[in-house]
Amino acid sequence: HPSVNMVSILSLPLPELSKKLRDGSLPPDHVFYAYVGKALQMATETNCITEFLQESETQVRKAKLMEKQGLLYGVPVSIKDSIDCQGHDSTLGFIKNLNKPAAEDSVVVQVLKRQGAIPFVKTNVPQSLISYDCKNLIFGQTCNPLLYTRTPGGSSGGEGALTGGGGSILGIGTDVGGSLRFPAAFCGICTIKPTGNRLSKRGVMAGVVGQKAVAAAVGPLAKDVESLALCLRALLSEDMFSLDSTVPPLPFNEEVYSSTKPLRIGYYETDFFTMPSPAMRRAVRETKQLLEEAGHTLVPFELTNVDYVVFNYCVRGMFADGGSSFVKKFKGEMETGGTAMFFWLAKAPHWLKTLLSWIAKPFVPRFSSIIRSMKENTVDEVWSLHHEIEDFCHQFIAQWKKLNLDVMLCPMLGPALGIGYPAKLSVAVSYTMLYNVLDFPAGVVPVTLVTDEDEEELKGYKGYYRDWWDRTLAKAFHGGVGMPVAVQCVALPWQEELCLRFMKEVETL
């Protein structure tokens, strides 16, 4: 339409765009078609979209007749493949899930619609969701919008690519080990993974169903923190609490979000398990310095035993059945490269795992530990694992309280790895997965770009274990000059508003 200025519509940040939609100065159809056009372009460039939601066009027409209401009135929203939208498949990248349309919208999509938002596309995921790359046999590989040879991250990779490339102003994804935070960090945008039960997971499909050791969460991705806050304001409404009564009725706390009092911030530069890239370390250091100059107090936080957490809580927790339910998901499917090793391990008999673990121990101790963690547990063992995770969580909180912290500044894996590398580097999820085990809210804010100096310094990257994984990770980081690097901002459970407030601070500085 000649009167539609696409460029100016696409350049508006979400709070401004939604204000213009609500006060009538921008017609919903102009905004809708501007984003459909841009999304189509991003889909062509990065292969991030799995489906256009045809009914969104009807919604736009109805929106024009609606009495203006809802915080997200007229805002086009993209939805991850695994989140149910009525009449559409949630494939999880599995062929067997094709042509099995969802009977109804997930609660989160219902609430978005009641707030006036218009879900308009579904986005790509890796097969089974248990990966931080983004490839499956139905839709193929999604690329990073900033550099096509790099992965957009996963499992909300389609969301990261679409939002990072400007084809969506607000995306909804999920996170069980970093699946929101990897795409945001790799594509240079913001996200928050809330506490597992802050937003409803009704109608949201999981990669591994029923496990309680590692908490999954639903959350938004957007260009800036203010947009994430607006999304949470809209979702944390009476509608959500009445549609899903298992979600605590905690509306968005404006007072905490808008507070300006100085914060006490814990920080660490490494988890002593995955050696940070030079750019990751610099991102934390520079952010720390800026926060101190702005009058906040920064306190070093000592992380210990992350290797134990990764093997015994993350891997063993996710695959406490020896991986048998994971393997079942693949029955009749062709497996894509991403999960080959896990898949093979899950299928191996117990005696073979024990033998392999013993042989591998002197050469690749981490691989040996992963094999050991993939064993089938008795009910008794699973219960005591859950108990142990609870204890660990309370100890972590005690250490936090002892230092009297408000929030924590942590590294985030980056820059984006080359396509295909995440499959070989499952161990690199240590920075993110820690906060799924603890079930703390954790957000990602891009703070810097990889420099030539970072790249030069990377030549000396050895890793803590100096094993095959460390050598591979050095290669995977390589060649990322100009790519974004983020930090993680973490708060205690149910403190999403404080987490966002801290993220806003980091973003502003």
Short mmCIF file of all heavy atoms in Angstrom, two decimals, residues 23 31 53 88 101 119 294 301 365 375 392 447 484 498:
data_model
loop_
_atom_site.label_atom_id
_atom_site.label_comp_id
_atom_site.label_asym_id
_atom_site.label_seq_id
_atom_site.Cartn_x
_atom_site.Cartn_y
_atom_site.Cartn_z
N ASP A 23 -3.65 4.17 20.36
CA ASP A 23 -4.28 5.50 20.23
C ASP A 23 -4.81 5.75 18.81
O ASP A 23 -5.30 6.83 18.49
CB ASP A 23 -3.34 6.63 20.71
CG ASP A 23 -2.14 6.84 19.79
OD1 ASP A 23 -2.19 6.41 18.62
OD2 ASP A 23 -1.15 7.44 20.25
N VAL A 31 0.63 -2.24 10.24
CA VAL A 31 1.67 -2.86 11.06
C VAL A 31 1.80 -4.33 10.69
O VAL A 31 2.91 -4.85 10.49
CB VAL A 31 1.34 -2.71 12.57
CG1 VAL A 31 2.35 -3.48 13.42
CG2 VAL A 31 1.33 -1.23 12.95
N LEU A 53 0.37 -18.35 9.96
CA LEU A 53 -0.94 -18.62 10.57
C LEU A 53 -2.00 -17.80 9.83
O LEU A 53 -2.20 -16.62 10.12
CB LEU A 53 -0.93 -18.29 12.07
CG LEU A 53 0.22 -18.92 12.87
CD1 LEU A 53 0.14 -18.52 14.34
CD2 LEU A 53 0.21 -20.45 12.76
N HIS A 88 -2.97 -25.92 14.06
CA HIS A 88 -1.61 -26.02 13.50
C HIS A 88 -0.80 -27.09 14.22
O HIS A 88 -1.03 -27.38 15.39
CB HIS A 88 -0.90 -24.67 13.57
CG HIS A 88 -1.63 -23.60 12.81
ND1 HIS A 88 -1.44 -23.40 11.46
CD2 HIS A 88 -2.57 -22.71 13.21
CE1 HIS A 88 -2.25 -22.41 11.06
NE2 HIS A 88 -2.94 -21.99 12.10
N PRO A 101 -2.91 -31.36 13.91
CA PRO A 101 -3.11 -29.99 14.40
C PRO A 101 -3.60 -29.96 15.85
O PRO A 101 -4.32 -30.85 16.29
CB PRO A 101 -4.16 -29.42 13.46
CG PRO A 101 -4.82 -30.59 12.82
CD PRO A 101 -3.81 -31.70 12.80
N PRO A 119 -0.90 -13.54 16.82
CA PRO A 119 0.11 -14.54 16.47
C PRO A 119 0.05 -14.77 14.97
O PRO A 119 -1.02 -15.07 14.44
CB PRO A 119 -0.33 -15.79 17.24
CG PRO A 119 -1.23 -15.28 18.32
CD PRO A 119 -1.91 -14.08 17.73
N ALA A 294 28.23 3.43 37.94
CA ALA A 294 26.86 3.94 38.08
C ALA A 294 26.37 3.88 39.53
O ALA A 294 25.22 4.20 39.82
CB ALA A 294 25.92 3.16 37.18
N PHE A 301 31.41 -13.63 43.36
CA PHE A 301 30.67 -14.82 43.79
C PHE A 301 31.47 -16.03 43.33
O PHE A 301 31.90 -16.10 42.19
CB PHE A 301 29.29 -14.82 43.14
CG PHE A 301 28.35 -15.87 43.68
CD1 PHE A 301 27.47 -15.57 44.72
CD2 PHE A 301 28.32 -17.16 43.15
CE1 PHE A 301 26.58 -16.52 45.21
CE2 PHE A 301 27.44 -18.12 43.64
CZ PHE A 301 26.57 -17.80 44.67
N PRO A 365 37.77 -37.37 30.64
CA PRO A 365 37.02 -37.55 31.89
C PRO A 365 35.58 -37.05 31.79
O PRO A 365 34.67 -37.66 32.36
CB PRO A 365 37.83 -36.75 32.91
CG PRO A 365 38.82 -35.95 32.15
CD PRO A 365 39.02 -36.62 30.84
N LYS A 375 22.71 -43.40 33.04
CA LYS A 375 22.20 -44.73 33.42
C LYS A 375 20.75 -44.63 33.90
O LYS A 375 20.27 -43.57 34.28
CB LYS A 375 23.08 -45.34 34.50
CG LYS A 375 22.89 -44.77 35.90
CD LYS A 375 23.77 -45.50 36.90
CE LYS A 375 23.51 -45.08 38.33
NZ LYS A 375 22.21 -45.43 38.89
N PHE A 392 20.78 -28.43 47.11
CA PHE A 392 21.73 -27.61 46.37
C PHE A 392 21.18 -26.20 46.17
O PHE A 392 21.87 -25.20 46.35
CB PHE A 392 22.05 -28.27 45.02
CG PHE A 392 22.74 -27.36 44.03
CD1 PHE A 392 24.03 -26.90 44.26
CD2 PHE A 392 22.10 -26.97 42.86
CE1 PHE A 392 24.67 -26.06 43.36
CE2 PHE A 392 22.73 -26.13 41.94
CZ PHE A 392 24.01 -25.67 42.20
N VAL A 447 25.89 -7.00 25.16
CA VAL A 447 26.63 -5.85 25.69
C VAL A 447 27.84 -5.43 24.85
O VAL A 447 28.35 -4.33 25.02
CB VAL A 447 27.12 -6.11 27.15
CG1 VAL A 447 25.93 -6.20 28.10
CG2 VAL A 447 27.98 -7.35 27.24
N PRO A 484 27.69 -10.38 18.19
CA PRO A 484 27.35 -9.91 19.53
C PRO A 484 27.73 -10.91 20.63
O PRO A 484 27.78 -12.11 20.39
CB PRO A 484 25.83 -9.76 19.48
CG PRO A 484 25.38 -10.63 18.37
CD PRO A 484 26.50 -10.69 17.38
N LEU A 498 12.63 -7.84 39.23
CA LEU A 498 13.95 -7.39 39.66
C LEU A 498 15.00 -7.77 38.61
O LEU A 498 15.91 -7.00 38.30
CB LEU A 498 14.30 -8.02 41.02
CG LEU A 498 15.63 -7.60 41.65
CD1 LEU A 498 15.69 -6.08 41.84
CD2 LEU A 498 15.86 -8.31 42.98
#
